[in-house]
Amino acid sequence: MSLLRIKELRTLLHKYNHSYYVLNISLVSDFEFDNLMCELDTLEKKHPEYEDVNSPSKRVGGDITKSFNSVKHQFPMLSLSNSYSKEDIVDFDSRVSKLIDNTFTYLCELKYDGVAISLIYENGQLVRALTRGDGVSGEDVTANVRTITSIPLSLIGNYPEKLEVRGEIIFPRPAFDLLNKERLANGEQLFANPRNTASGSIKLQDSSEVAKRKLDCFLYALFLDNSVTNSAYEHYELLKKWGFKTPFLDKNYVKSVSTIDEVMSFINYWEKSRNDLPFDIDGIVVKVNELSLQKLIGNTAKSPRWAIAFKYKAEQVSTLVKNVFYQVGRTGAITPVADLEPVEISGSVVKRASVHNADQILKLDLRIGDTVFVEKGGEIIPKIIAVDFTKRNKNQLPLDYIKCCPECNAELVRFEGEAQHYCINSNDCPPQIKGKISHFVGRKQMNIDGVGEETIDLLFNAGLIANVADLYNLKKEDILPLERMAEKSAENIVNGVEASKVVPFHKLLFALGIRYVGETVAKKLANHFENIQSLRIADFDTLVNVDEIGDKIAESIIDYFKSPINNELIDQLIGFGLNFEKAKIKDELSTDLLKDKKIVVSGKFNIVSRDEIKRLIELNGGKNISSVSSSTDMIICGENMGPSKLNKAKKLEIKLVVEEEFLDMIKVNQHSVEENPPIQGEIQF
Ligand code: IVH
């Protein structure tokens, strides 16, 4: 009965997904969809014996891939030869025409600017997804690809038993802009462009993070055992019938043409219209359409002879530099920015361009009043390529790089080996103070709702906060009088701040904004030191002995804890009850959910310590076992789990459970984490 319902739900949800993400038609309300998904989720949890890696419930991700296996491609993944001029296209046409006696057609397509992917289906099920790699072997990124909603996990219609399809994973512009907007609000570094971000996303270890990225995929090549058609164009029609998202045939994304003039019109059309597309393209692909002729013409070692890419040049315009001003970042890094006479480029109006650093100003010999060439590739911030010296006037003097911070007037320093100047007056320089607070409240750090950049500005300007500890003193009555502050927003801030007190130690460590201590380093430190006191007193040798901590990070941590201001801040935060040590779970939460289960614990953990995991296993009726065997029920795996254990586990098909899953399993949530008693006693420095 349950299996029947599970199957029914999977078919239904696959159908709704396909309709929504591939055909753009919504068949059910979000509410109904969520209810069905919830029902499926509950049944699947109750019946792990009916597990299906391609269940629609897998779309949200959750699998962790520590290292991506290299797998050989069935056919090499070639690249395309590039051309930048219309003459190259004419040459290509005459080369092809010489090789072919009969009439033939060309297929003109968009060249999607993303990352190539090969998808393998057996009996209508997605079994593998590989990156291009070196063209011969690619990396197995199946778990991550399963989260891309427009890629079917289960095919429909009359599909062949085996097929391979290739395409491009892209980051649609609107989703990319939204992601960067969120990152800006969280004080995180912005991603440079959709292509690199798509490529980075597909290699993330945590597939639930990939699911959040809203990637998309267009397909452009199909390999079948027995081809049923001689036309690449018809391949698209077949793929569409089987449930794939092909380039929209109706939107002129693909066009079958018979003459080189028509190829040129396609190129010209998209050169003008490409800025209206909701994703980036970097050119046009021209292919011989007939599959038998493609075979006849063949490939070189690197690329097919039957296809060519026409790449659009990054658009360049010239404009005037009205001024150069200097921005101060969260870390005190100074970035010179050119204030430009507004100019339209690639469909958007550009008013500013980053000049990176003092060396770049010298290299370009940039002066105020110059006319410059500006280029916008895929990047968000346009680049100044060169100065138009023919327009330079004698009165324009070389730029004098600033010596003092434009915000707080402190003298700037330039560290050895670094290109940027820094303001090191970090505790008294307003953009640095605000930047630190904004980093602290970020989603991946303390995740304090309701405190965005604007609110931080308001609170700072009103003198209510001058450092992150001040957040914990905020009262609703202090916030309410601020401009445009409603009762509800004020309440949200106070509640958000309060809720952050239980945020795990590694996130708090990341939130402090110690130079070079990013998310990953913070996890390593939290794993090793387990509480702030032992980290505070760690000397250089102790620090560099920690996994992945090098000289630069160690020095930065020591510097941080040398400062009396930083120590005072930490003492204040300890006083407010923030979680400065790894969590301990309350004993009264014991269950028999793991009764008689034989469990191996391996690797390092982030939220609780390894010993705590072991204690929790016993508390919930399980048994701790040291080595993996066929009688092992599950392995709780942390970071850097030993490869021999992992291989053995895979061979014996033993269930692997990550830390969060385990805590979920025994129903531990943030609220059951004991509030750590404030750490007593002063540390002497
Ligand atoms: S056909 C040689 N068609 O461009 C393999 N490729 O620079 C046949 N690409 O590796 C590729 N859009 O990742 C083809 N419409 C399209 C494409 C396309 C983007 C990518 C693809 C390929 C790269 C070559």
Side-chain angles (χ1 to χ4, degrees), residues 499-513:
S500 75
K501 291 183 178 172
V502 295
V503 163
F505 178 40
H506 67 277
K507 293 198 176 192
L508 174 54
L509 210 45
F510 174 34
L512 291 178

Side-chain angles (χ1 to χ4, degrees), residues 13-27 30 33-34 37 56 59-60 147-152 211 214-218 243-246 248:
L13 288 163
H14 274 314
K15 182 173 136 188
Y16 293 156
N17 262 329
H18 170 251
S19 177
Y20 188 79
Y21 291 106
V22 178
L23 308 176
N24 275 326
I25 303 168
S26 182
L27 294 179
D30 287 358
F33 185 92
D34 289 347
M37 187 62 91
R59 293 291 194 194
V60 290
T147 68
I148 302 176
T149 41
S150 58
I151 294 181
K214 310 285 176 231
L215 298 166
D216 203 342
C217 180
F218 280 115
F244 288 99
K245 180 160 180 173
T246 51
F248 297 119

Side-chain angles (χ1 to χ4, degrees), residues 76-82 108-117 132 166-170 218-221 223 236 247 253-254 281-287 299 302-304 306-307 309 311:
M77 267 180 105
L78 304 175
S79 51
L80 290 166
S81 50
N82 287 329
C108 301
E109 301 181 357
L110 303 181
K111 187 170 186 308
Y112 313 103
D113 201 8
V115 53
I117 194 79
R132 180 172 184 279
R166 290 181 182 171
E168 198 84 353
I169 292 178
I170 55 160
F218 280 115
L219 300 164
Y220 53 66
F223 299 82
Y236 286 134
Y253 287 8
V254 177
I281 60 168
D282 60 338
I284 292 297
V285 182
V286 185
K287 300 172 179 171
N299 306 322
K302 280 199 206 140
S303 52
W306 45 265
K311 301 263 266 192

